[in-house]
Amino acid sequence: MSIENIVPSILPQLFAKPVAASPSLPRESDARAIELARRLIALDQDGAAELIQQRLAREKSPPALFTGLFEPTARALGDLWSDDECSELEVTVGLCHLQSAMRRISFDRLASAMTNAAQRNVLVVPEPGEPHLFCAALNAELLRQAGWNTHSEFPETDRDLKDLVADLWFDAVDLSLSPALRRAHWLPRVTETVRMIRRASRNPAITVVVSGRMFAERPDIAEQIGADAGCESALQIDALIQRLLLARYTPRRPANYAWS
């Protein structure tokens, strides 16, 4: 499929197929996420911090807070923008506050992840030009905590990203778009970026996962733009990449293979 045909062929599917709710993922209608989004838009930082602390006290772990409150809050910010209740700049500022809160909580509550030479290398990057970095920052933090040798970078241009994958060996790349806005018109750009990663990578069998609101709601689109899979939530990112790498590196037995 040519890049020019990506949007016309995919957009009808976006509106034709409803997104099924997953019981394992945060609910879009979470009232606390909507309340937090509104406080962020109103620049009520004290109120936002209070709500976050209240929810953190009830969660089992900081990552549960990040995936149970921060991710749906990012989507709620996007919904406020869609309803013309705020500007994209306000969405960006709100996401920056979520990212800062995540960093602060991770520093205070999470131990430094152990690293060793045997770990798989994963590169976590936003699509070059994407101003919403929360998705990449969250995925990188959870992968680091899960024990991956995580390289979190924010390339400004396609050439910067190309140099990264050409110079260093990565087993997988997590490429993200906005966690708040769908960015359907960016699909041709992401398609070309995925192709560039595969062409330039030192690892000819590199695994490419795409993240962001577009792929959280329609993970099946990932394969149509050349990626191996779409991530529905940061909650899944570790297991998803592990599963893809296991499938890629496990030799397949021939159909006529017989157990001895």
Side-chain angles (χ1 to χ4, degrees):
M1 180 183 296
S2 67
I3 295 177
E4 292 77 9
N5 292 330
I6 290 291
V7 172
S9 63
I10 291 178
L11 283 181
Q13 300 178 48
L14 293 178
F15 295 101
K17 299 180 181 179
V19 179
S22 172
S24 64
L25 299 179
R27 294 177 55 187
E28 292 270 355
S29 59
D30 188 335
R32 284 165 294 195
I34 297 172
E35 180 182 358
L36 179 55
R38 291 192 177 280
R39 292 186 184 187
L40 291 171
I41 290 300
L43 298 181
D44 179 11
Q45 298 310 310
D46 291 340
E50 180 183 3
L51 193 155
I52 290 171
Q53 288 301 318
Q54 290 173 355
R55 182 66 179 265
L56 178 59
R58 293 195 294 269
E59 292 289 0
K60 296 180 180 179
S61 66
L65 173 74
F66 303 154
T67 57
L69 178 61
F70 286 13
E71 276 194 317
T73 296
R75 292 190 291 271
L77 287 168
D79 292 340
L80 290 174
W81 174 83
S82 297
D83 294 338
D84 291 326
E85 294 189 41
C86 67
S87 67
E88 185 169 349
L89 176 60
E90 290 173 305
V91 172
T92 302
V93 171
L95 291 173
C96 287
H97 285 300
L98 286 179
Q99 187 172 334
S100 296
M102 182 196 70
R103 296 290 194 197
R104 183 174 60 256
I105 293 169
S106 295
F107 181 81
D108 292 341
R109 300 291 189 94
L110 295 175
S112 298
M114 300 297 292
T115 60
N116 60 66
Q119 288 174 313
R120 299 281 196 182
N121 294 316
V122 58
L123 174 64
V124 182
V125 292
E127 171 71 23
E130 172 60 72
H132 296 167
L133 310 180
F134 175 71
C135 187
L138 175 57
N139 286 356
E141 180 61 37
L142 295 191
L143 286 168
R144 190 177 294 110
Q145 290 298 321
W148 292 82
N149 187 12
T150 306
H151 298 256
S152 181
E153 302 287 347
F154 301 92
E156 294 184 2
T157 67
D158 289 341
R159 180 58 184 267
D160 293 335
L161 178 53
K162 180 179 179 180
D163 290 343
L164 275 171
V165 298
D167 293 343
L168 300 173
W169 176 281
F170 296 106
D171 296 284
V173 172
D174 173 48
L175 179 69
S176 63
L177 286 177
S178 171
L181 308 182
R182 293 181 177 86
R183 303 275 201 229
H185 61 292
W186 282 45
L187 290 176
R189 184 189 306 193
V190 179
T191 301
E192 183 54 38
T193 300
V194 172
R195 290 180 181 176
M196 180 270 293
I197 289 171
R198 295 198 189 281
R199 289 195 302 263
S201 175
R202 288 186 62 187
N203 176 6
I206 195 166
T207 290
V208 180
V209 172
V210 285
S211 304
R213 182 165 186 172
M214 168 64 73
F215 307 109
E217 294 179 347
R218 289 300 310 278
D220 55 295
I221 291 175
E223 293 186 9
Q224 298 182 42
I225 64 169
D228 293 289
C231 182
E232 296 182 55
S233 167
L235 185 69
Q236 303 174 330
I237 189 69
D238 169 37
L240 176 62
I241 297 179
Q242 285 199 54
R243 175 173 57 80
L244 291 170
L245 289 180
L246 181 63
R248 176 152 291 179
Y249 290 115
T250 300
R252 294 183 179 180
R253 295 187 178 90
N256 60 351
Y257 180 88
W259 292 97
S260 57

